């Protein structure tokens, strides 16, 4: 970046980070596709393991989608900060004098665009395979969009804590999954209620409230964790 | 008021000496109270009109469950103090809290299962309280796993402190998510759970047992803190003098 970063407003700074991450992703498509393929593969396991009956699958579809989304976001989160830490970009960010929490939030937003949003967009496809009819697409889009964003923030905290370690994958699952359980509960609940024709505003609002809380507090935890990880 | 003695506690030699001196004053009263409360709980308190003698496990179950949450909060607060004021001793306290906390959680789950089998007819039910306790155990285990994966003790301290604080913010969310999770679903009435307006004769042994558990934890904390200090200060002069 040849721009004098001291004179940038926080928003153009975030835009620069987003643009950089999207550029990088455009040149490495496999990294965007992998979580997506993983998501679809995990969902395929359930009909094989439980029952191919559509009526049965329709009943547990919210749970399947949410568990698969959680695992996919967990696996994707490991690669969130690792390349930047390994090639020294993160060190420059820490030294740049810019608010690290804000930079990391922008980074996480980019991560969600690349790994969370595709999951949301592909959901109708897999949901149809689980016997969910098309009238529920909006419901699935909204719950999964909020939920995957929340999963991205929580995963980013875990990724920031383990980025200094050589093998952090299993450890991250151990740390992050318990913290993500409320997301699973409210997300699957909202979807389940919606599929039964009930109002979903309750669990969906709670999910959104949790997202706002995590957006406010999460970046500071990430920044603290990154500083510890790269020292 | 002079706070020098208090600030001195933050130095390892003073803390070490303090913890060693304090330990017997916590351990022996706790042991005596435990023996008395066990006796009172097992023999003096009359059997419950509904649960007969099975309810007597309450004298272990409730203190263990209360402490499991209390210890987590304590650990997170100590870790936060260590992180914010860069106080090494606070990190040592947090490190000493983990194992007792995890064990109390396991104990609460185990005694709950043993109690649940005759009362509910099942070892386990996905009741909000049980589920929250199980997630709490996972959080302890995650904290331990993170702490164990750093070679450098200073980094282990700070990284696990961040995790403990994130977990502390999350505990109310987890608790209420789990409570609503079940109540939204269906009104599963598992309120056999001692809601039979606890009898006054049970209260005293229970409170004594709770206090005994607290003091026992205090003694364990002293031991753990001494062990942590020994490990962290193993090359320090004062320690060599103390040991010789």
């Amino acid at each position: 970046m040849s721009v004098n970063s001291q004179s940038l407003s926080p928003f153009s700074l975030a835009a620069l980070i987003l643009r950089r991450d999207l550029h990088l992703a455009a040149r490495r498509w496999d990294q965007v596709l992998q979580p997506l393929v993983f998501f679809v593969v995990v969902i395929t396991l359930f009909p094989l393991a439980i029952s191919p009956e559509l009526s049965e699958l329709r009943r547990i579809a919210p749970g399947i989608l949410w568990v698969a989304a959680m695992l996919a976001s967990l696996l994707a989160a490991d690669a969130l900060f690792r390349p930047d830490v390994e090639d020294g970009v993160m060190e420059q960010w820490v030294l740049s004098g810019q608010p690290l929490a804000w930079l990391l939030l922008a980074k996480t937003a980019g991560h969600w665009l690349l790994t969370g949003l595709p999951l949301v967009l592909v959901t109708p496809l897999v949901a149809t395979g689980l016997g969910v009819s098309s009238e529920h697409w909006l419901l699935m889009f909204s719950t999964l969009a909020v939920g995957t964003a929340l999963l991205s923030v929580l995963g980013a905290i875990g990724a920031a804590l383990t980025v200094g370690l050589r093998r952090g994958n299993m450890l991250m699952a151990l740390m992050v999954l318990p913290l993500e359980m409320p997301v699973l509960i409210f997300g699957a609940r909202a979807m389940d209620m919606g599929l039964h024709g009930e109002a979903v505003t309750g669990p969906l609002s709670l999910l959104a409230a949790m997202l706002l809380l995590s957006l406010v507090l999460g970046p500071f935890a990430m920044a603290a964790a990154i500083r510890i990880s790269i020292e | 008021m002079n706070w020098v003695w208090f600030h001195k506690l933050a130095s390892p030699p003073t803390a070490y000496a303090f913890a060693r001196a304090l330990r017997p004053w916590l351990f022996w009263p706790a042991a005596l109270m435990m023996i008395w409360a066990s006796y009172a709980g097992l023999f003096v308190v009359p059997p419950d009109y509904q649960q007969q003698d099975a309810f007597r496990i309450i004298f272990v179950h409730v203190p263990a469950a209360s402490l499991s949450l209390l210890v987590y909060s304590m650990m997170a607060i100590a870790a936060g103090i260590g992180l914010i004021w860069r106080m090494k001793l606070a990190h040592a306290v947090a490190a000493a809290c983990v194992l007792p906390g995890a064990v109390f959680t396991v104990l609460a789950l185990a005694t709950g299962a043993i109690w649940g089998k005759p009362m509910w007819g099942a070892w386990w039910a996905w009741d909000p309280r049980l589920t929250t306790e199980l997630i709490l155990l996972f959080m302890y285990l995650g904290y331990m796993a993170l702490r164990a994966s750093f070679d450098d003790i200073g980094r282990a301290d700070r990284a696990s402190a961040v995790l403990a604080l994130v977990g502390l913010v999350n505990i109310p969310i987890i608790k209420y998510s789990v409570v609503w999770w079940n109540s939204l679903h269906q009104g599963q009435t598992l309120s056999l759970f001692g809601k039979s307006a606890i009898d006054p004769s049970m209260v005293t042994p229970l409170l004594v047992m709770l206090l005994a558990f607290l003091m026992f934890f205090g003694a364990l904390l002293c031991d753990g803190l001494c062990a942590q200090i020994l490990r962290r200060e193993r090359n320090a002069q004062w320690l060599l003098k103390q040991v010789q």
Side-chain angles (χ1 to χ4, degrees):
Chain A
M1 273 183 251
S2 57
V3 201
N4 176 15
S5 63
Q6 292 297 327
S7 61
L8 284 174
S9 79
F11 289 100
S12 46
L13 202 59
L16 276 177
I17 290 174
L18 275 179
R19 199 186 310 155
R20 168 178 173 270
D21 278 1
L22 294 180
H23 268 301
L24 285 173
R27 288 176 174 78
R28 295 292 308 273
W29 264 107
D30 52 327
Q31 287 188 347
V32 182
L33 282 176
Q34 275 168 6
L36 201 59
V37 175
F38 178 81
F39 179 65
V40 178
V41 169
V42 167
I43 286 176
T44 312
L45 298 179
F46 284 87
L48 299 179
I50 295 170
S51 144
E53 284 295 319
L54 275 188
S55 58
E56 183 125 348
L57 288 172
R58 193 178 301 128
R59 201 169 53 78
I60 54 171
I64 297 177
L65 288 172
W66 273 95
V67 169
M70 230 169 131
L71 294 177
S73 102
L74 191 69
L75 279 191
D78 190 55
L80 173 49
F81 298 127
R82 203 169 283 278
D84 284 341
V85 169
E86 277 169 1
D87 65 15
V89 170
M90 193 59 82
E91 219 154 82
Q92 297 305 315
W93 281 14
V94 173
L95 297 172
S96 69
Q98 301 290 348
L100 184 60
W102 176 253
L103 303 180
L104 296 177
L105 183 62
K107 179 94 189 154
T108 309
H111 179 73
W112 177 77
L113 282 178
L114 292 167
T115 62
L117 196 57
L119 291 194
V120 179
L121 295 177
V122 82
T123 307
L125 193 67
V126 290
T128 310
L130 296 174
V132 179
S133 61
S134 58
E135 61 195 281
H136 297 300
W137 284 8
L138 184 67
L139 165 77
M140 284 186 297
F141 282 141
S142 51
T143 48
L144 270 175
V146 178
T148 50
L150 194 45
L151 293 176
S152 290
V153 177
L154 291 172
I157 298 174
L161 279 171
T162 53
V163 74
L165 301 165
R166 242 168 281 116
R167 287 181 304 127
N169 248 331
M170 184 61 82
L171 175 66
M172 206 166 94
L174 268 180
M175 286 177 356
V176 174
L177 285 179
L179 300 177
E180 287 183 347
M181 282 175 189
V183 188
L184 181 73
I185 290 173
F186 289 130
R189 181 62 58 216
M191 219 184 253
D192 198 39
M193 287 167 78
L195 290 182
H196 288 97
E198 294 170 52
V200 296
T201 36
L204 196 56
S205 318
L206 281 167
L207 213 54
M210 276 156 58
L211 175 61
L212 291 179
L213 184 71
S214 75
L215 285 177
V216 174
L217 295 180
F220 294 102
M222 287 176 217
I226 284 286
R227 280 181 214 279
I228 294 159
S229 288
I230 66 164
E231 72 189 19
Chain B
M1 184 137 180
N2 191 353
W3 284 96
V4 174
W5 63 272
F6 187 73
H7 290 294
K8 266 192 179 165
L9 269 182
S11 85
T14 326
Y16 185 77
F18 179 75
R20 288 201 67 165
L22 186 64
R23 187 192 175 276
W25 293 99
L26 292 168
F27 183 80
W28 293 109
L32 289 176
M33 280 155 68
M34 253 182 222
I35 291 168
W36 179 82
S38 308
Y39 172 75
L42 287 175
F43 300 107
V44 179
V45 174
D48 187 80
Y49 78 100
Q50 211 176 9
Q51 306 194 5
Q52 304 306 330
D53 283 332
F55 85 96
R56 294 184 195 275
I57 203 166
I58 197 175
F59 295 108
V60 184
H61 180 70
V62 169
S66 328
L67 269 164
S68 65
L69 260 177
L70 185 79
V71 173
Y72 190 92
S73 331
M74 217 183 123
M75 178 180 90
I77 291 167
I81 291 173
L83 196 64
I84 295 165
W85 286 288
R86 295 174 182 274
M87 208 168 131
K88 281 185 189 159
L89 197 75
H91 284 306
V93 170
C97 279
V98 201
L99 193 58
V103 172
F104 283 131
T105 317
V106 172
L107 193 62
L109 286 169
T111 51
I114 293 167
W115 195 2
K117 185 64 183 164
M119 288 302 112
W120 302 337
W123 295 106
W124 182 260
W126 291 98
D127 169 81
R129 284 205 212 192
L130 278 70
T131 314
T132 319
E133 194 71 9
L134 186 64
I135 298 177
L136 183 68
L137 178 63
F138 293 155
M139 286 167 65
Y140 273 119
L141 295 179
Y143 178 92
M144 283 164 137
L146 181 66
R147 190 172 260 291
S149 54
F150 285 94
D151 295 326
D152 177 48
I153 207 160
R155 281 178 68 190
D157 280 342
R158 272 164 293 149
S160 58
V162 173
L163 182 65
L165 286 174
V166 174
L168 189 67
V169 175
N170 232 312
I171 277 187
I173 300 177
I174 290 175
K175 185 173 163 59
Y176 287 106
S177 73
V178 172
V179 170
W180 290 330
W181 161 62
N182 215 328
S183 59
L184 277 173
H185 194 56
Q186 52 186 353
Q188 215 170 12
T189 40
L190 292 174
S191 53
L192 277 170
F193 220 127
K195 278 288 166 281
S196 40
I198 198 163
D199 192 76
S201 65
M202 285 161 63
V203 173
T204 323
L206 189 57
L207 285 181
V208 171
M209 194 58 122
L210 191 59
L211 191 61
F213 261 68
L214 267 174
M215 290 172 78
F216 178 59
F217 167 66
L220 286 180
L221 187 61
C222 286
D223 276 346
L225 187 61
C226 286
Q228 287 289 334
I229 292 175
L230 283 175
R231 207 172 126 214
R232 286 155 193 256
E233 302 275 313
R234 58 184 174 275
N235 297 323
Q237 280 302 316
W238 69 267
L239 196 59
L240 288 173
K241 263 182 226 154
Q242 190 110 26
V243 174
Q244 273 159 8

